Structure formats: structure tokens, C-alpha cells
Amino acid sequence: MTINYPQGTNLTANSITKKGPTIFGDRGMTLEQEINESNAYYRNHKVAVIYKKPTPIQIVKVDYPKRSRAVIKEAYFRQASTTDYNGVYQGHYIDFEAKETRHKRSFPLSNFHEHQIQHLDSCLQQAGICFAIIKFVTLQRYFVLPAQVLIDFWQSAIKGGKKSIPLAFIEKKSLEIKAGYNPILPYLDICRQLINQTGENHG
């Protein structure tokens, strides 16, 4: 199945269901699965209400090989996606992107898109708590990178700076998440620290 962005870029069905090759960590789960299960835990325990954002797709071609079955052959994204997740945590609007890489020493900035950076910046201007969760698959390490740090690095790259974020920089500027059991990825513990920092900055 071919799915097209509004600008005309073609994607296969596999590239829609996955943001890259399937990567199995120690738990046999992708970052998206880990976050989704963690969000389910948070909702079930009334800690937060955070969901993965649906991407609106317009179907334009469908085949019916059998009467009881339809196969989508072509579809279009109605609009470019923003970030992966948003919701509410203790009265605060939460908005973040989730990315993973097999690189060991840096994270390619090309994994982000300009409209995602602009969206995070707009949310920050409305006092949202915004960040990116980055997973180094091979290292089995998870980081919460504050959106403002990501935005500043992006703007520096546009002016000729580095096109990949070094791991050492991420270690210095991010907060690391230690994977657990319930939830699998307790990223809201880090989110609470970001909220506290935001309060101090506005105090």
C-alpha cells in the first residue's frame, strides 16, 4: 500500500506502521510500545491521561479481493503530523516526541522534522511541558531531552552547527530514565522534575 504526504512524498505501508526497522530491546519492545504500555498504566492508576496522537489519513483506493475483506491500496496523510504524544498530568499540558536510534555515540537530528520543532516551540510559548524521549537501543538507555534544548540545537544546526546530537551532550542536558516494571518507562518522574524547574524559572 502506498500512502502519500500532502507534499507528495510516498511511503509504504511498512513505513507508516513503523518509524524505522523493528528494534527489539531487552523486553522485546519498541520505544513506542514501552510508552504506550506506560501510558496505559498511568491512566489505569489515574496518574495522568496521555495518548498517542492519531494521524488522520484519507483513503483514496481500496480493493476488495473478497467480499468479507477490503485492502487499502493508496491513502494520503491529510496533514503533516506534529508530535507523537500529548495529554494532561497534574494540571499541566504534556506534549512530546519519541525517537529511537541504533547509534551509540550520537543522535541524528534528521530524525526530527521542522514542523515538529515548530510545534514544540508553540507549545512552550503556552507554558506546556514539552520534551523528546530518546532511546539508544543498543545501549538500552532512555533520556528525556527538554524541548528548549532540542530547539536551540536545531537552530544551531541550521546555522551550520552539528547535525547530530552527541551522546555526551544528551547526558549533560537531559534527564535519564531508568526502565522499570510498572510502569515500564516511568517518564513522568522526570516530567515532574521539568515541572518543578519550570516553576522555579517563573518564580
Side-chain angles (χ1 to χ4, degrees):
M1 179 180 71
T2 301
I3 300 181
N4 304 283
Y5 274 111
Q7 292 83 358
T9 302
N10 294 331
L11 294 174
T12 64
N14 287 338
S15 61
I16 293 304
T17 56
K18 305 173 186 176
K19 293 187 175 180
T22 301
I23 302 171
F24 295 97
D26 291 341
R27 295 166 205 81
M29 302 176 74
T30 64
L31 176 59
E32 180 178 310
Q33 291 171 321
E34 290 168 328
I35 294 175
N36 289 345
E37 289 210 6
S38 299
N39 285 344
Y41 174 88
Y42 286 137
R43 290 194 302 271
N44 291 337
H45 288 77
K46 302 187 185 304
V47 176
V49 180
I50 299 174
Y51 285 95
K52 181 171 173 60
K53 299 177 187 177
T55 303
I57 294 177
Q58 180 176 353
I59 298 171
V60 295
K61 184 177 181 181
V62 182
D63 283 353
Y64 295 90
K66 296 181 180 179
R67 290 185 179 181
S68 60
R69 195 172 143 192
V71 177
I72 299 172
K73 290 295 186 180
E74 187 174 0
Y76 291 87
F77 284 116
R78 291 181 180 174
Q79 60 190 36
S81 61
T82 53
T83 47
D84 287 331
Y85 295 89
N86 71 339
V88 180
Y89 171 53
Q90 296 184 353
H92 298 274
Y93 175 74
I94 307 297
D95 199 297
F96 66 94
E97 179 69 10
K99 301 289 188 183
E100 57 186 4
T101 182
R102 286 182 172 178
H103 290 242
K104 295 180 180 180
R105 298 182 180 178
S106 65
F107 186 87
L109 205 58
S110 58
N111 283 318
F112 292 96
H113 301 286
E114 184 176 5
H115 63 269
Q116 293 174 327
I117 301 298
Q118 292 173 346
H119 173 77
L120 288 170
D121 187 46
S122 296
C123 290
L124 283 179
Q125 292 178 30
Q126 298 299 320
I129 305 301
C130 308
F131 50 90
I133 294 181
I134 295 176
K135 177 182 180 180
F136 284 84
V137 177
T138 306
L139 304 177
Q140 280 298 303
R141 297 182 70 183
Y142 307 78
F143 297 92
V144 170
L145 181 66
Q148 191 59 61
V149 175
L150 173 61
I151 293 167
D152 291 344
F153 201 98
W154 178 275
Q155 293 174 341
S156 175
I158 291 176
K159 297 175 183 177
K162 294 181 179 179
K163 306 304 180 184
S164 292
I165 310 175
L167 174 59
F169 179 90
I170 292 175
E171 290 174 329
K172 182 179 179 179
K173 297 292 186 178
S174 301
L175 295 167
E176 188 165 2
I177 311 171
K178 298 299 183 183
Y181 178 67
N182 275 323
I184 293 173
L185 205 60
Y187 70 90
L188 286 186
D189 293 346
I190 305 298
C191 194
R192 168 46 57 188
Q193 295 182 51
L194 294 180
I195 292 171
N196 292 337
Q197 290 174 7
T198 300
E200 292 172 0
N201 293 336
H202 288 85

